[in-house]
Amino acid sequence: MRMTVTDMPSTEEFRAISKGYDRDASRSLSLRKEAYVEPVWHNADLDAIIAKSWQWVCHGEKLRDAGSYITIDIAGQPIAVVRDRDGVLRAFYNVCKHRAHELLSGEGNITRIMCPYHAWVYKLDGQLARAPYTENLEGFDLRDICLDQVQAEEFCGFVFVNLDPKAKPLREASGNLETEIRHWAPEIESLTFGHRLTYDIKSNWKNVVDNFLECYHCPTAHKDFCDLVDMDTYKVTTHGIYSSHMAEAGKGANTAYNVSNATVRTHAVWWLWPNTCLMRYPGRSSMIVMNVIPVGPDRTFETYDFFLETPEPDEMELDAIRYIDDVLQVEDVGLVESVQRGMSTPAFTQGRIVNDPDGSGKSEHAVHHFHGLVLDAYARAAPA
């Protein structure tokens, strides 16, 4: 869904939304509740944030072959991502230039893009190749028609797209993120899809991200997780448009899952603005991608994709998947849904950011960092 003039927050609303926020996390309040509960701010999120940021699509393995494609929706816009015959990764609005029918659905492999409505045919680079019964049209030239492209980029083994034609390349905008990820997960491009978990959450997407970005709640809400990792080693660092979250695996037995045979002993997590989370849990070499998709002011769709050394999870990974699905996510979904209900009452406007200048996991400075990026995006979208 894109905003119209009537959907836009007013100038006064844009000014008021930053009230209480301070660039110094030790003096700051959180983002105001209006941004989490009012439909106008959900629309602003889609237009000013999701449609102008790099959005995760899939692992590169899904689009390695010429003709491979996948379709997705970003901020309500249908997008198709295709590998063309020359090996170039391309992304288009998934819309025919004739009568606007969607061109592709799902995922697969094709030699051409043919509209299922009137059989207009496009090459894999988006150029119109054939349009039946147009020979007698005046001023009609196939060469003048091409699908509208959007930016696509392969980054750390994954595919991302950005609807904003002015956006910087992700590799440039994300600073040292690629260096960090490749240091901790050098085999990332050779991993393969193993499993997906999906969640339909009754909460605003920003509450889901807030919850992910701090472990201040972990000793209270995630007892098993606090055994899985050594909380004394948990460190959170913010940089530009991402934050890194590092901890060593716990040294003793834990109640989450058995990591006694783990070859990867570091819990390494990266959050990439605005809604992609890359996680490397103790175990074998792996990467979990958590994608947080705004659906409505109080509804979020969330996916966990597990990329592993082999297509079939081993016993430790099956235990980890069960732990995440049956325990950790049950706890987190309950938390963010309760927060959403609380924000919908008159009893809450905004809360104090709890900050540890040393950057421990039991601090909300990464939440504060996220809120600053949200407010910066709102400021750019505000009426002059």
Side-chain angles (χ1 to χ4, degrees):
M1 178 178 178
R2 303 289 286 187
M3 287 194 294
T4 65
V5 173
T6 55
D7 292 324
M8 284 282 286
S10 67
T11 301
E12 285 305 313
E13 286 174 312
F14 272 113
R15 287 176 182 157
I17 199 66
S18 63
K19 184 178 179 181
Y21 180 84
D22 192 291
R23 292 292 172 182
D24 184 339
S26 293
R27 294 198 299 258
S28 186
L29 296 176
S30 65
L31 188 60
R32 295 175 65 84
K33 77 168 187 179
E34 291 88 347
Y36 296 84
V37 301
E38 294 184 359
V40 70
W41 289 108
H42 168 69
N43 293 338
D45 286 348
L46 295 183
D47 192 76
I49 297 177
I50 303 301
K52 294 187 180 299
S53 58
W54 286 98
Q55 295 291 302
W56 182 81
V57 177
C58 63
H59 192 282
E61 68 171 352
K62 190 165 283 190
L63 294 170
R64 282 187 183 140
D65 299 330
S68 56
Y69 77 90
I70 186 171
T71 60
I72 55 171
D73 275 6
I74 296 174
Q77 305 299 304
I79 303 296
V81 189
V82 181
R83 180 75 66 179
D84 75 13
R85 292 178 182 272
D86 295 324
V88 178
L89 186 70
R90 298 182 181 274
F92 312 97
Y93 282 95
N94 189 21
V95 176
C96 184
K97 301 299 285 186
H98 173 222
R99 293 274 296 283
H101 196 283
E102 290 189 355
L103 294 164
L104 298 171
S105 60
E107 58 187 69
N109 193 282
I110 50 176
T111 58
R112 59 182 183 169
I113 301 171
M114 186 174 79
C115 180
Y117 197 8
H118 298 101
W120 281 34
V121 175
Y122 302 83
K123 299 176 185 178
L124 299 183
D125 64 2
Q127 179 65 50
L128 183 64
R130 185 172 69 87
Y133 307 111
T134 57
E135 295 83 0
N136 297 320
L137 298 184
E138 296 183 12
F140 182 86
D141 191 333
L142 298 177
R143 293 170 297 182
D144 293 338
I145 299 176
C146 187
L147 298 178
D148 287 7
Q149 296 200 33
V150 299
Q151 293 197 69
E153 185 174 338
E154 293 176 85
F155 179 81
C156 290
F158 295 104
V159 174
F160 291 80
V161 298
N162 195 320
L163 303 189
D164 182 2
K166 298 179 181 178
K168 290 182 180 179
L170 178 55
R171 189 165 279 104
E172 177 185 341
S174 59
N176 292 326
L177 178 58
E178 182 173 19
T179 301
E180 278 194 41
I181 291 175
R182 291 190 182 278
H183 171 77
W184 292 103
E187 72 300 318
I188 191 168
E189 294 192 43
S190 64
L191 298 176
T192 188
F193 176 77
H195 193 73
R196 167 172 276 199
L197 299 173
T198 61
Y199 305 93
D200 193 339
I201 304 172
K202 296 172 183 167
S203 180
N204 186 273
W205 73 279
K206 297 187 294 298
N207 268 328
V208 177
V209 173
D210 287 350
N211 183 71
F212 180 86
L213 289 175
E214 51 93 353
C215 221
Y216 182 39
H217 70 280
C218 291
T220 305
H222 300 315
K223 305 287 188 185
D224 304 288
F225 181 80
C226 291
D227 286 336
L228 176 65
V229 304
D230 181 355
M231 289 299 295
D232 290 336
T233 66
Y234 206 120
K235 182 83 171 177
V236 179
T237 311
T238 62
H239 325 252
I241 62 167
Y242 77 96
S243 57
S244 57
H245 308 243
M246 302 288 178
E248 294 302 313
K251 297 180 175 61
N254 71 79
T255 52
Y257 63 95
N258 185 3
V259 294
S260 59
N261 295 321
T263 54
V264 171
R265 302 289 304 175
T266 300
H267 176 68
V269 173
W270 297 271
W271 166 78
L272 172 63
W273 163 260
N275 57 333
T276 303
C277 308
L278 307 171
M279 301 177 278
R280 190 169 167 86
Y281 271 55
R284 283 197 301 175
S285 294
S286 66
M287 189 64 73
I288 308 167
V289 180
M290 179 177 122
N291 194 26
V292 180
I293 304 168
V295 178
D298 56 358
R299 187 179 175 208
T300 299
F301 187 65
E302 183 180 75
T303 58
Y304 270 68
D305 284 310
F306 293 77
F307 299 96
L308 312 171
E309 292 181 12
T310 58
E312 295 297 326
D314 67 12
E315 185 176 350
M316 189 187 320
E317 288 160 348
L318 286 172
D319 284 342
I321 291 168
R322 280 193 291 267
Y323 162 66
I324 290 171
D325 195 29
D326 295 344
V327 180
L328 189 63
Q329 276 297 97
V330 172
E331 294 167 344
D332 275 333
V333 170
L335 292 171
V336 298
E337 290 186 343
S338 176
V339 168
Q340 189 70 29
R341 291 192 297 270
M343 284 185 167
S344 301
T345 72
F348 181 84
T349 301
Q350 61 192 144
R352 188 65 184 256
I353 291 292
V354 175
N355 181 50
D356 175 6
D358 292 330
S360 78
K362 300 173 186 176
S363 172
E364 296 174 324
H365 60 286
V367 178
H368 175 261
H369 172 240
F370 169 52
H371 292 178
L373 292 173
V374 169
L375 290 172
D376 288 344
Y378 288 167
R380 289 191 294 270

Tab-separated table of all heavy atoms in Angstrom, residues 215-249:
chain	number	residue	atom	x	y	z
A	215	CYS	N	18.786	-7.602	24.830
A	215	CYS	CA	18.669	-8.797	25.672
A	215	CYS	C	18.485	-8.401	27.144
A	215	CYS	O	18.721	-9.190	28.040
A	215	CYS	CB	19.878	-9.704	25.498
A	215	CYS	SG	19.459	-11.470	25.434
A	216	TYR	N	18.065	-7.165	27.345
A	216	TYR	CA	17.715	-6.701	28.691
A	216	TYR	C	16.607	-7.582	29.268
A	216	TYR	O	16.543	-7.823	30.473
A	216	TYR	CB	17.269	-5.240	28.574
A	216	TYR	CG	16.905	-4.516	29.847
A	216	TYR	CD1	17.611	-4.696	31.037
A	216	TYR	CD2	15.857	-3.596	29.839
A	216	TYR	CE1	17.261	-4.001	32.182
A	216	TYR	CE2	15.504	-2.887	30.970
A	216	TYR	CZ	16.208	-3.099	32.152
A	216	TYR	OH	15.858	-2.409	33.277
A	217	HIS	N	15.731	-8.073	28.374
A	217	HIS	CA	14.618	-8.920	28.817
A	217	HIS	C	15.002	-10.390	28.956
A	217	HIS	O	14.220	-11.179	29.486
A	217	HIS	CB	13.441	-8.793	27.837
A	217	HIS	CG	13.674	-9.413	26.495
A	217	HIS	ND1	14.395	-8.794	25.495
A	217	HIS	CD2	13.273	-10.596	25.962
A	217	HIS	CE1	14.415	-9.563	24.422
A	217	HIS	NE2	13.741	-10.656	24.672
A	218	CYS	N	16.195	-10.770	28.481
A	218	CYS	CA	16.530	-12.201	28.410
A	218	CYS	C	16.568	-12.897	29.773
A	218	CYS	O	16.008	-13.997	29.918
A	218	CYS	CB	17.847	-12.398	27.678
A	218	CYS	SG	17.736	-11.999	25.910
A	219	PRO	N	17.210	-12.333	30.809
A	219	PRO	CA	17.228	-13.048	32.092
A	219	PRO	C	15.845	-13.296	32.671
A	219	PRO	O	15.633	-14.275	33.381
A	219	PRO	CB	18.053	-12.112	32.989
A	219	PRO	CG	18.917	-11.339	32.051
A	219	PRO	CD	18.063	-11.126	30.843
A	220	THR	N	14.903	-12.411	32.341
A	220	THR	CA	13.538	-12.575	32.847
A	220	THR	C	12.709	-13.497	31.967
A	220	THR	O	11.998	-14.374	32.461
A	220	THR	CB	12.832	-11.204	32.928
A	220	THR	OG1	13.618	-10.315	33.711
A	220	THR	CG2	11.442	-11.345	33.537
A	221	ALA	N	12.819	-13.313	30.648
A	221	ALA	CA	11.899	-13.972	29.721
A	221	ALA	C	12.479	-15.179	28.999
A	221	ALA	O	11.729	-15.996	28.467
A	221	ALA	CB	11.410	-12.961	28.688
A	222	HIS	N	13.811	-15.296	28.939
A	222	HIS	CA	14.438	-16.376	28.162
A	222	HIS	C	15.470	-17.126	29.011
A	222	HIS	O	16.676	-17.049	28.758
A	222	HIS	CB	15.134	-15.801	26.919
A	222	HIS	CG	14.248	-15.083	25.968
A	222	HIS	ND1	13.028	-15.558	25.557
A	222	HIS	CD2	14.420	-13.897	25.304
A	222	HIS	CE1	12.489	-14.715	24.688
A	222	HIS	NE2	13.310	-13.687	24.542
A	223	LYS	N	15.006	-17.848	29.992
A	223	LYS	CA	15.918	-18.558	30.892
A	223	LYS	C	16.804	-19.534	30.128
A	223	LYS	O	18.007	-19.656	30.400
A	223	LYS	CB	15.126	-19.316	31.959
A	223	LYS	CG	14.146	-18.472	32.766
A	223	LYS	CD	14.848	-17.575	33.742
A	223	LYS	CE	13.832	-16.885	34.672
A	223	LYS	NZ	14.459	-15.910	35.562
A	224	ASP	N	16.218	-20.267	29.167
A	224	ASP	CA	16.992	-21.264	28.432
A	224	ASP	C	18.070	-20.602	27.572
A	224	ASP	O	19.193	-21.105	27.479
A	224	ASP	CB	16.067	-22.091	27.530
A	224	ASP	CG	14.936	-22.738	28.311
A	224	ASP	OD1	15.211	-23.685	29.050
A	224	ASP	OD2	13.791	-22.293	28.172
A	225	PHE	N	17.739	-19.476	26.960
A	225	PHE	CA	18.707	-18.776	26.124
A	225	PHE	C	19.898	-18.311	26.957
A	225	PHE	O	21.045	-18.332	26.488
A	225	PHE	CB	18.045	-17.577	25.442
A	225	PHE	CG	18.971	-16.809	24.544
A	225	PHE	CD1	19.242	-17.258	23.266
A	225	PHE	CD2	19.578	-15.633	24.976
A	225	PHE	CE1	20.101	-16.555	22.433
A	225	PHE	CE2	20.429	-14.926	24.160
A	225	PHE	CZ	20.693	-15.385	22.881
A	226	CYS	N	19.640	-17.910	28.180
A	226	CYS	CA	20.723	-17.427	29.050
A	226	CYS	C	21.644	-18.553	29.506
A	226	CYS	O	22.736	-18.284	30.012
A	226	CYS	CB	20.141	-16.679	30.247
A	226	CYS	SG	19.368	-15.106	29.805
A	227	ASP	N	21.216	-19.791	29.326
A	227	ASP	CA	22.112	-20.933	29.514
A	227	ASP	C	22.854	-21.261	28.227
A	227	ASP	O	24.000	-21.721	28.249
A	227	ASP	CB	21.320	-22.179	29.959
A	227	ASP	CG	20.864	-22.091	31.403
A	227	ASP	OD1	21.495	-21.358	32.177
A	227	ASP	OD2	19.870	-22.768	31.744
A	228	LEU	N	22.180	-21.040	27.091
A	228	LEU	CA	22.778	-21.364	25.798
A	228	LEU	C	23.992	-20.496	25.508
A	228	LEU	O	24.995	-20.966	24.978
A	228	LEU	CB	21.728	-21.177	24.688
A	228	LEU	CG	22.197	-21.376	23.256
A	228	LEU	CD1	22.623	-22.826	23.026
A	228	LEU	CD2	21.091	-20.973	22.277
A	229	VAL	N	23.917	-19.190	25.829
A	229	VAL	CA	25.039	-18.285	25.615
A	229	VAL	C	25.536	-17.754	26.954
A	229	VAL	O	24.802	-17.734	27.943
A	229	VAL	CB	24.653	-17.104	24.697
A	229	VAL	CG1	24.113	-17.615	23.374
A	229	VAL	CG2	23.656	-16.178	25.363
A	230	ASP	N	26.796	-17.348	26.965
A	230	ASP	CA	27.395	-16.756	28.162
A	230	ASP	C	27.052	-15.265	28.172
A	230	ASP	O	27.649	-14.463	27.437
A	230	ASP	CB	28.910	-16.967	28.125
A	230	ASP	CG	29.615	-16.403	29.342
A	230	ASP	OD1	28.953	-15.756	30.178
A	230	ASP	OD2	30.839	-16.595	29.461
A	231	MET	N	26.061	-14.892	28.991
A	231	MET	CA	25.590	-13.505	28.988
A	231	MET	C	26.671	-12.517	29.400
A	231	MET	O	26.609	-11.340	29.037
A	231	MET	CB	24.359	-13.369	29.882
A	231	MET	CG	23.101	-14.026	29.336
A	231	MET	SD	22.568	-13.338	27.746
A	231	MET	CE	22.154	-11.657	28.225
A	232	ASP	N	27.673	-12.986	30.131
A	232	ASP	CA	28.764	-12.091	30.530
A	232	ASP	C	29.609	-11.656	29.331
A	232	ASP	O	30.346	-10.666	29.418
A	232	ASP	CB	29.657	-12.774	31.570
A	232	ASP	CG	28.961	-12.939	32.912
A	232	ASP	OD1	28.021	-12.158	33.183
A	232	ASP	OD2	29.351	-13.842	33.681
A	233	THR	N	29.519	-12.410	28.226
A	233	THR	CA	30.296	-12.065	27.031
A	233	THR	C	29.445	-11.362	25.967
A	233	THR	O	29.955	-11.019	24.904
A	233	THR	CB	30.916	-13.327	26.400
A	233	THR	OG1	29.864	-14.181	25.892
A	233	THR	CG2	31.738	-14.101	27.415
A	234	TYR	N	28.179	-11.150	26.262
A	234	TYR	CA	27.254	-10.574	25.279
A	234	TYR	C	27.593	-9.099	25.052
A	234	TYR	O	27.607	-8.301	25.977
A	234	TYR	CB	25.816	-10.712	25.782
A	234	TYR	CG	24.765	-10.745	24.697
A	234	TYR	CD1	23.928	-11.839	24.543
A	234	TYR	CD2	24.581	-9.671	23.829
A	234	TYR	CE1	22.951	-11.879	23.553
A	234	TYR	CE2	23.611	-9.689	22.847
A	234	TYR	CZ	22.799	-10.799	22.711
A	234	TYR	OH	21.839	-10.831	21.736
A	235	LYS	N	27.859	-8.751	23.811
A	235	LYS	CA	28.251	-7.386	23.459
A	235	LYS	C	27.455	-6.930	22.239
A	235	LYS	O	27.327	-7.661	21.256
A	235	LYS	CB	29.745	-7.349	23.134
A	235	LYS	CG	30.305	-5.969	22.804
A	235	LYS	CD	30.630	-5.190	24.047
A	235	LYS	CE	31.386	-3.905	23.704
A	235	LYS	NZ	31.654	-3.094	24.897
A	236	VAL	N	26.912	-5.723	22.306
A	236	VAL	CA	26.127	-5.162	21.204
A	236	VAL	C	26.787	-3.865	20.740
A	236	VAL	O	27.053	-2.980	21.556
A	236	VAL	CB	24.672	-4.887	21.632
A	236	VAL	CG1	23.888	-4.278	20.474
A	236	VAL	CG2	23.996	-6.163	22.122
A	237	THR	N	27.035	-3.772	19.430
A	237	THR	CA	27.694	-2.600	18.862
A	237	THR	C	26.867	-2.073	17.704
A	237	THR	O	26.428	-2.847	16.844
A	237	THR	CB	29.106	-2.955	18.356
A	237	THR	OG1	29.811	-3.685	19.366
A	237	THR	CG2	29.888	-1.696	18.005
A	238	THR	N	26.646	-0.771	17.673
A	238	THR	CA	25.863	-0.165	16.589
A	238	THR	C	26.787	0.517	15.596
A	238	THR	O	27.797	1.110	15.963
A	238	THR	CB	24.852	0.859	17.138
A	238	THR	OG1	25.560	1.924	17.794
A	238	THR	CG2	23.894	0.199	18.117
A	239	HIS	N	26.443	0.415	14.322
A	239	HIS	CA	27.222	1.029	13.248
A	239	HIS	C	26.271	1.455	12.138
A	239	HIS	O	25.592	0.610	11.575
A	239	HIS	CB	28.195	0.055	12.587
A	239	HIS	CG	28.826	-0.965	13.472
A	239	HIS	ND1	30.144	-0.917	13.838
A	239	HIS	CD2	28.338	-2.096	14.036
A	239	HIS	CE1	30.441	-1.972	14.584
A	239	HIS	NE2	29.358	-2.696	14.718
A	240	GLY	N	26.221	2.708	11.800
A	240	GLY	CA	25.502	3.138	10.607
A	240	GLY	C	24.107	2.550	10.504
A	240	GLY	O	23.219	2.894	11.275
A	241	ILE	N	23.922	1.622	9.538
A	241	ILE	CA	22.603	1.019	9.337
A	241	ILE	C	22.551	-0.435	9.817
A	241	ILE	O	21.681	-1.198	9.392
A	241	ILE	CB	22.152	1.099	7.863
A	241	ILE	CG1	23.104	0.316	6.946
A	241	ILE	CG2	22.019	2.539	7.409
A	241	ILE	CD1	22.548	0.089	5.542
A	242	TYR	N	23.458	-0.824	10.716
A	242	TYR	CA	23.367	-2.168	11.275
A	242	TYR	C	23.888	-2.180	12.700
A	242	TYR	O	24.505	-1.224	13.173
A	242	TYR	CB	24.112	-3.186	10.405
A	242	TYR	CG	25.626	-3.192	10.522
A	242	TYR	CD1	26.283	-4.088	11.365
A	242	TYR	CD2	26.410	-2.325	9.768
A	242	TYR	CE1	27.664	-4.122	11.457
A	242	TYR	CE2	27.791	-2.350	9.847
A	242	TYR	CZ	28.422	-3.250	10.696
A	242	TYR	OH	29.796	-3.270	10.789
A	243	SER	N	23.607	-3.283	13.380
A	243	SER	CA	24.207	-3.510	14.690
A	243	SER	C	24.627	-4.967	14.779
A	243	SER	O	24.023	-5.849	14.162
A	243	SER	CB	23.253	-3.151	15.836
A	243	SER	OG	22.031	-3.864	15.751
A	244	SER	N	25.701	-5.221	15.527
A	244	SER	CA	26.205	-6.584	15.714
A	244	SER	C	26.031	-6.983	17.166
A	244	SER	O	26.211	-6.172	18.080
A	244	SER	CB	27.669	-6.684	15.290
A	244	SER	OG	28.473	-5.761	16.016
A	245	HIS	N	25.678	-8.262	17.374
A	245	HIS	CA	25.364	-8.804	18.693
A	245	HIS	C	26.157	-10.097	18.855
A	245	HIS	O	25.887	-11.082	18.167
A	245	HIS	CB	23.861	-9.078	18.814
A	245	HIS	CG	23.008	-7.895	18.454
A	245	HIS	ND1	22.167	-7.274	19.358
A	245	HIS	CD2	22.854	-7.198	17.279
A	245	HIS	CE1	21.561	-6.268	18.762
A	245	HIS	NE2	21.955	-6.204	17.505
A	246	MET	N	27.138	-10.104	19.748
A	246	MET	CA	28.067	-11.228	19.862
A	246	MET	C	28.094	-11.784	21.273
A	246	MET	O	28.073	-11.036	22.253
A	246	MET	CB	29.486	-10.782	19.483
A	246	MET	CG	29.611	-10.204	18.087
A	246	MET	SD	29.476	-11.471	16.822
A	246	MET	CE	29.591	-10.466	15.341
A	247	ALA	N	28.159	-13.108	21.368
A	247	ALA	CA	28.314	-13.775	22.658
A	247	ALA	C	28.927	-15.140	22.430
A	247	ALA	O	28.741	-15.753	21.364
A	247	ALA	CB	26.969	-13.913	23.374
A	248	GLU	N	29.639	-15.619	23.422
A	248	GLU	CA	30.177	-16.977	23.357
A	248	GLU	C	29.128	-17.964	23.837
A	248	GLU	O	28.261	-17.636	24.663
A	248	GLU	CB	31.445	-17.098	24.206
A	248	GLU	CG	32.610	-16.281	23.684
A	248	GLU	CD	32.993	-16.660	22.264
A	248	GLU	OE1	33.103	-17.881	21.981
A	248	GLU	OE2	33.149	-15.748	21.432
A	249	ALA	N	29.203	-19.194	23.335
A	249	ALA	CA	28.299	-20.244	23.809
A	249	ALA	C	28.571	-20.518	25.283
A	249	ALA	O	29.715	-20.375	25.761
A	249	ALA	CB	28.501	-21.520	22.992
